[in-house]
């Protein structure tokens, strides 16, 4: 069961796509958002959740005060689940909220190639089997679309190598949670 942990939609249960996704565990999401809250990067942020699956990472940011969230997943079933979950979260938003959640059913690279948007916080949680060169290409495309001091979080298998960081994105730290590794980076 995947749920929103905190914020205005706290404890809301999210739908998940049937197969082909690997939702970030509550424990890892709690650690991610505890660190983000400590850095004060969520409030008012423009958030991009690539390989969104259920949209849990982006929607958690929405619940905690992000202003705009874009959820991207090329799998139609996952994009449909993201739309459903986004509607439920938006239904819980405080009266008068200007929160926007947009869902794209494009492949990550196609989305990045077609949008001029800029982000303050980016989650990349691709399938573990995603080729490292595809991840490096996505990071390269993101490097010119990050606000000053933007945070980029990459979730990979602990057996995966460190992502190839392009110029403009610098590794901040690595944190392991069992079979999951979080790579924290920032725009420079």
């Amino acid at each position: 069961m995947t749920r929103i942990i905190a914020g205005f939609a706290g404890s809301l249960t999210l739908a998940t796509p049937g197969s082909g996704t690997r939702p970030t565990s509550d424990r890892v999401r709690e650690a991610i958002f505890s660190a983000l809250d400590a850095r004060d990067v969520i409030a008012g942020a423009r958030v991009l959740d690539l390989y969104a699956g259920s949209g849990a990472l982006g929607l958690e940011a929405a619940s905690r005060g992000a202003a705009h969230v874009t959820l991207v997943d090329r799998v139609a079933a996952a994009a449909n689940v993201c739309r459903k979950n986004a509607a439920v979260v938006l239904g819980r938003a405080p009266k008068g909220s200007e929160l926007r959640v947009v869902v794209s059913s494009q492949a990550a690279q196609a989305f990045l190639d077609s949008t001029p948007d800029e982000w303050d916080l980016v989650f990349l949680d691709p399938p573990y089997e995603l080729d490292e060169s595809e991840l490096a290409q996505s990071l390269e495309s993101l490097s010119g679309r990050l606000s000053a001091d933007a945070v980029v979080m990459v979730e990979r298998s602990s057996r995966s190598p460190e992502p190839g960081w392009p110029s403009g994105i610098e590794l901040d730290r690595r944190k392991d949670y069992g079979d999951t590794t979080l790579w924290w980076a920032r725009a420079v």
Side-chain angles (χ1 to χ4, degrees):
M1 179 174 72
T2 301
R3 64 185 178 85
I4 300 292
I5 297 165
F8 68 76
S11 77
L12 178 70
T13 300
L14 299 175
T16 56
S19 60
T21 61
R22 175 196 33 77
T24 302
S25 72
D26 282 358
R27 176 179 164 243
V28 173
R29 273 187 298 113
E30 283 186 52
I32 290 169
F33 284 93
S34 176
L36 291 171
D37 284 340
R39 293 177 182 203
D40 195 29
V41 297
I42 299 173
R46 291 186 54 83
V47 177
L48 174 62
D49 185 352
L50 286 176
Y51 312 97
S54 67
L57 291 170
L59 295 173
E60 183 75 37
S63 180
R64 293 175 184 238
H68 186 280
V69 176
T70 302
L71 308 173
V72 179
D73 203 302
R74 70 174 176 81
V75 177
N80 288 335
V81 166
C82 284
R83 284 183 189 92
K84 176 183 173 183
N85 287 336
V88 174
V89 168
L90 286 168
R92 293 263 183 108
K95 194 168 191 82
S97 170
E98 294 183 16
L99 170 63
R100 288 199 56 223
V101 179
V102 176
V103 179
S104 172
S105 57
Q106 292 179 285
Q109 194 58 49
F111 173 81
L112 292 170
D113 289 344
S114 68
T115 184
D117 292 345
E118 183 176 274
W119 297 281
D120 306 306
L121 174 59
V122 180
F123 299 107
L124 291 99
D125 183 10
Y128 283 175
E129 63 273 4
L130 182 82
D131 185 78
E132 296 302 319
S133 64
E134 289 180 59
L135 177 59
Q137 185 179 10
S138 292
L139 289 167
E140 180 68 40
S141 295
L142 278 170
S143 66
R145 300 213 190 103
L146 299 172
S147 63
D149 298 321
V151 173
V152 177
M153 198 277 316
V154 178
E155 182 175 337
R156 297 293 277 159
S157 164
S158 58
R159 295 176 295 284
S160 297
E162 179 177 343
W165 304 109
S167 63
I169 301 177
E170 183 177 274
L171 178 65
D172 187 23
R173 66 187 169 114
R174 170 192 171 147
K175 184 73 175 160
D176 294 312
Y177 299 90
D179 290 343
T180 299
T181 296
L182 299 179
W183 300 92
W184 292 85
R186 59 186 176 84
V188 290

